C-alpha cells in the first residue's frame, strides 16, 4: 500500500506566468454564422508584463460586409478590397503567436474563427493553450464590483487608457490591460503558473489544485485508491478515516483527474478539501481491483461513496416452511431449509415480484398461522378466487403442498408459469388501449424476470466449490480462482509464462473459503455478479470446474423477449 502526501517538485510547478509569453488576439468578422469570415486581426504579444510586439491587418473576406457590421466596426467593403486574403494572413499570425498562450475575450469566438481558417487552408492548428478572459473575470470579480464581464465594462472598471472600440488592435490592447489586472488578483489566490491559471478558469479551487502532486507518486497500474483524512470521531479522538474508495486500470491517471476540471461532482470538491492523503493498492488484474474496491467500501462505509455501501438493504422473497407455506419479504437468508428468491434491490421490487407470483398461483397471502385441525373463516381474497382458502378447509394440506411445489419451481427452475399467467389480462388491456395499465403489468413481470436472472447467475456460481478461469489481457493473461462465488486468488501471466502454471500457483495460495448457505455465494452478491460478468465475457477459458456451473433451461427469459413471451408468442431467444 502506498500513502501519498508529497510536496511539489520544481518539475510539478508548471510554466511560470512571469516568463510565459501571451498573445492577446481580437478579430473582427462579417458576422457570427457558419458562413461569416474574418475582416481584421489584431494581436499583442506580451511577456512578464511587457509588450514584445503587435500584429494588425485587415483581411479581404471576399464577401459583402453587412451594413450593421460596418456601422459597428467602421470596416467597409472599400477598406478591405485591397487587403490580403486569409490564406496570406494566417501563416504569419501563427508565426507571431508561436510558443505562446492565446488570450481572447470570449475566446471561443475568436479561436473558433482562427481554427476554421486554418482548416479551410489545410494548415495544422498548433496546440496553443487558450485563456478566456471572460471565464477569468467571472472567477475573480464579484457582481458587486462589475454588473457583467463585457470587455467595455471591464475596461471601465480597470480604467483602461484606450477603451475598446470594435477595432481588432484597439480591443486587443484593452484586453491586455484587463488581463494584467486580473492576473494581479489571482496571484493572491495561489495562481502562479499557466496550468494553475487554466484550471482556475475552469472552476478548480486553489485547495484542489494544490494537492495535484499526490498523483505524481501513484503507480500507473490497476488497483484501488483510498482518499483518507485524520478526523475527530464522536469521542473527540483523531483517527484515520477513509473518505472515498475507487478503482482504476491506471491509478495515476484516475487519481490525477480529481484535481482537474474534469471532476465536476460537488461532493468530490468537498472530499478533496478534507482529505490529507491518498493511499493506493496495486492489483494483479482489473477484476481483483473491482472486488477489492467492493470489500473496502463494505468494510469502511466511506461517507463520499454512494454505491455498494448498503448490501443489507437487499430484499429476498421467502417461501416459508409451515403446514401451509406462504410468501414473505425478508432481509436475510438463513440455513433453515426454506426456499429463498432474490436478491431484489428494494422492498417495493420484492413486493412487485410477489404480486407476479400471486397472479400465477392462488397461494395464501395472510400471515395467520393455520392449522388443518382448526379451520377458520375465509378472507375476501378467498371469496374473490384469489386464494385457495386453506384457512376454512377448502383445500387439504397435500393438495396445497402441490401448489406450493409449483411456486417453488417458478422460484428456482422455471419462470414460464409466472410469465404466462397474466396473458389474457394483458391482451385485453392492449385491445382496450389501456397501455399504462399494461405497462405496469409487464413492469411487474420484468422485475420478476430480472430477479430470476440474477438468482440463476449468482446461484450457479455459488454452487461451484472451485472454478479456475483465464482470459487474455492487453499484455499476457489474467487468471482467477473462484470458490463458492468468492474471488479467492488472482494472478497475471506475463508473455512467455505458462498460463496454466500461473493458474496452478494461484490455486495453491488461494484463500480457503468455507461452504456458504446453499444458494448464496461466500461473498457479497455484488462481488459474485462482478465475477459472473468477467466469466461471461468473450475469450474466457475454463481450466477447472468443481461443481455444476449452469442454469435451468427455463430459469430465465431474455428481457427483450418478455412482452412477446407474456402474450403467448414463442420467443426467439432465451437464457439458461
Amino acid at each position: 500500500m502506498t500513502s501519498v502526501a508529497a510536496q511539489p517538485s520544481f518539475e510539478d510547478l508548471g510554466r511560470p506566468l512571469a516568463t510565459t509569453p501571451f498573445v492577446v488576439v481580437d478579430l473582427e468578422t462579417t458576422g457570427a454564422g457558419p458562413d461569416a469570415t474574418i475582416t481584421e486581426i489584431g494581436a499583442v504579444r506580451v511577456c512578464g508584463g511587457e509588450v514584445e510586439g503587435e500584429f494588425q491587418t485587415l483581411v479581404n473576406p471576399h464577401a459583402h460586409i453587412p451594413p450593421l457590421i460596418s456601422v459597428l466596426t467602421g470596416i467597409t467593403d472599400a477598406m478591405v478590397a485591397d487587403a490580403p486574403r486569409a490564406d496570406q494572413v494566417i501563416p504569419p499570425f501563427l508565426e507571431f503567436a508561436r510558443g505562446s498562450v492565446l488570450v481572447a475575450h470570449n475566446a471561443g469566438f475568436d479561436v473558433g474563427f482562427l481554427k476554421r481558417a486554418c482548416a479551410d487552408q489545410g494548415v495544422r492548428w498548433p496546440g496553443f493553450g487558450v485563456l478566456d478572459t471572460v471565464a477569468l473575470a467571472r472567477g475573480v470579480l464579484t457582481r458587486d464590483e462589475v454588473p457583467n464581464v463585457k470587455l467595455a465594462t471591464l475596461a471601465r472598471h480597470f480604467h483602461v487608457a484606450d477603451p475598446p472600440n470594435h477595432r481588432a488592435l484597439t480591443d486587443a490592447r484593452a484586453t491586455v490591460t484587463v488581463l494584467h489586472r486580473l492576473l494581479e488578483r489571482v496571484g493572491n489566490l495561489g495562481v502562479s503558473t499557466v496550468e494553475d491559471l487554466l484550471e482556475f478558469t475552469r472552476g478548480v479551487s486553489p485547495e484542489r489544485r494544490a494537492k495535484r502532486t499526490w498523483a505524481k507518486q501513484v503507480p500507473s497500474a490497476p488497483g484501488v485508491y483510498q482518499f483518507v483524512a485524520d478526523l475527530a470521531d464522536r469521542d473527540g479522538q483523531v483517527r484515520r478515516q477513509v473518505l472515498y474508495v475507487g478503482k482504476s486500470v491506471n491509478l495515476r491517471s484516475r487519481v490525477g483527474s480529481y484535481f482537474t476540471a474534469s471532476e465536476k461532482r460537488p461532493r468530490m470538491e468537498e472530499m478533496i478539501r478534507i482529505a490529507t492523503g491518498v493511499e493506493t493498492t496495486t492489483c494483479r488484474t482489473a477484476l481483483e481491483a473491482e472486488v477489492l474496491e467492493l470489500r473496502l467500501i463494505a468494510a469502511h462505509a466511506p461517507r463520499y461513496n454512494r454505491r455498494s455501501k448498503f448490501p443489507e438493504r437487499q430484499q429476498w422473497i421467502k417461501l416459508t416452511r409451515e403446514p401451509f407455506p406462504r410468501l414473505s419479504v425478508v432481509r436475510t437468508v438463513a440455513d433453515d431449509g426454506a426456499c429463498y428468491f432474490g436478491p431484489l434491490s428494494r422492498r417495493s421490487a420484492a413486493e412487485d415480484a410477489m404480486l407476479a407470483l400471486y397472479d400465477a398461483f392462488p397461494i395464501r397471502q395472510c400471515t395467520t398461522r393455520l392449522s388443518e385441525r382448526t379451520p377458520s373463516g375465509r378472507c375476501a381474497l378467498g371469496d374473490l378466487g384469489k386464494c385457495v382458502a386453506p384457512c376454512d378447509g377448502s383445500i387439504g394440506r397435500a393438495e396445497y403442498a402441490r401448489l406450493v411445489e409449483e411456486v417453488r419451481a417458478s422460484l428456482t427452475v422455471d419462470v414460464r408459469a409466472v410469465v404466462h399467467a397474466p396473458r389474457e389480462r394483458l391482451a385485453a388491456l392492449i385491445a382496450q388501449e389501456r397501455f399504462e395499465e399494461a405497462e405496469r403489468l409487464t413492469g411487474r413481470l420484468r422485475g420478476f424476470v430480472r430477479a430470476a436472472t440474477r438468482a440463476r447467475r449468482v446461484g450457479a456460481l455459488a454452487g461451484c466449490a472451485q472454478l479456475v478461469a483465464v482470459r487474455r489481457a492487453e499484455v499476457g493473461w489474467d487468471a482467477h480462482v473462484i470458490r463458492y462465488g468468492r474471488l479467492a486468488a488472482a494472478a497475471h501471466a506475463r508473455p512467455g509464462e505458462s498460463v496454466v502454471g500461473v493458474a496452478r500457483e494461484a490455486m495453491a495460495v488461494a484463500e480457503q473459503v468455507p461452504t456458504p448457505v446453499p444458494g448464496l455465494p461466500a461473498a457479497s452478491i455484488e462481488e459474485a455478479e462482478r465475477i459472473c460478468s468477467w466469466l461471461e465475457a468473450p475469450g474466457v477459458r475454463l481450466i477447472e470446474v468443481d461443481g455444476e456451473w449452469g442454469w435451468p433451461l427455463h430459469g430465465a427469459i431474455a428481457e427483450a423477449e418478455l412482452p412477446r413471451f407474456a402474450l403467448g408468442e414463442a420467443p426467439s431467444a432465451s437464457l439458461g
Side-chain angles (χ1 to χ4, degrees), residues 188-254:
N188 297 327
L189 300 176
V191 176
S192 59
T193 68
V194 172
E195 289 74 19
D196 288 343
L197 187 61
L198 295 178
E199 290 296 339
F200 181 86
T201 62
R202 297 178 187 130
V204 179
S205 68
E207 293 85 357
R208 186 143 61 109
R209 291 197 312 276
K211 296 177 180 179
R212 67 189 183 277
T213 54
W214 292 358
K216 300 293 183 180
Q217 307 301 320
V218 173
S220 298
V224 174
Y225 57 92
Q226 303 176 75
F227 283 99
V228 299
D230 297 323
L231 301 173
D233 58 18
R234 294 179 179 178
D235 299 328
Q237 298 293 321
V238 176
R239 303 181 188 277
R240 169 188 169 278
Q241 296 185 25
V242 176
L243 302 177
Y244 184 82
V245 177
K247 68 176 187 308
S248 178
V249 296
N250 188 320
L251 288 170
R252 177 177 295 180
S253 175
R254 184 69 187 98

Side-chain angles (χ1 to χ4, degrees), residues 358-550:
Y358 290 143
D359 286 341
F361 305 105
I363 191 172
R364 74 184 184 99
Q365 301 181 34
C366 58
T367 59
T368 306
R369 189 171 184 84
L370 302 182
S371 171
E372 192 174 20
R373 297 180 180 179
T374 56
S376 58
R378 68 167 59 194
C379 63
L381 291 175
D383 293 333
L384 293 172
K386 298 289 186 180
C387 175
V388 293
C391 51
D392 68 353
S394 297
I395 185 173
R397 184 171 177 177
E399 190 176 354
Y400 189 84
R402 287 193 289 271
L403 175 63
V404 169
E405 285 307 310
E406 293 179 20
V407 176
R408 191 188 309 275
S410 293
L411 294 175
T412 56
V413 296
D414 194 342
V415 300
R416 290 178 296 174
V418 175
V419 177
H420 284 157
R423 180 184 306 169
E424 294 182 3
R425 181 182 171 196
L426 184 59
L429 290 172
I430 293 173
Q432 297 168 20
E433 298 186 356
R434 296 160 62 184
F435 299 118
E436 291 185 1
E437 294 179 61
E439 173 56 29
R440 284 195 294 270
L441 185 56
T442 55
R444 186 184 300 169
L445 294 177
R446 192 178 298 113
F448 175 81
V449 168
R450 284 176 182 170
T453 302
R454 193 181 192 191
R456 300 294 84 79
R457 289 181 86 204
V458 173
L461 189 63
C464 294
Q466 179 165 283
L467 192 154
V468 184
V470 298
R471 191 176 80 183
R472 186 181 293 277
E474 289 187 10
V475 178
W477 290 76
D478 290 341
H480 296 111
V481 180
I482 298 108
R483 291 176 176 170
Y484 297 113
R486 180 181 177 86
L487 183 64
H492 181 76
R494 295 186 295 272
E497 290 185 307
S498 168
V499 178
V500 174
V502 169
R504 297 292 180 192
E505 292 175 2
M507 292 165 59
V509 299
E511 174 188 357
Q512 296 299 316
V513 179
T515 304
V517 174
L520 277 184
S524 68
I525 296 296
E526 193 167 359
E527 177 177 332
E529 288 186 301
R530 299 285 181 91
I531 295 171
C532 285
S533 296
W534 185 86
L535 289 170
E536 294 162 3
V540 169
R541 301 182 184 181
L542 299 178
I543 292 180
E544 180 180 314
V545 178
D546 181 6
E548 295 184 2
W549 186 41

Side-chain angles (χ1 to χ4, degrees), residues 317 341 344 348-358 444 447-448 451:
I317 295 176
F341 176 77
L344 297 105
S348 60
E351 291 172 347
D352 282 346
M354 280 209 310
L355 290 175
L357 288 162
Y358 290 143
R444 186 184 300 169
F448 175 81

Side-chain angles (χ1 to χ4, degrees), residues 313-359:
R313 293 180 179 176
Q314 294 175 334
Q315 307 285 324
W316 303 78
I317 295 176
K318 176 181 180 180
L319 183 61
T320 62
R321 290 195 60 180
E322 52 186 309
F324 295 97
R326 58 187 176 84
L327 298 174
S328 175
V329 178
V330 298
R331 289 190 174 184
T332 57
V333 176
D335 190 6
D336 55 4
C339 176
Y340 291 87
F341 176 77
L344 297 105
S345 58
R346 56 191 184 279
R347 186 174 183 87
S348 60
E351 291 172 347
D352 282 346
M354 280 209 310
L355 290 175
L357 288 162
Y358 290 143
D359 286 341

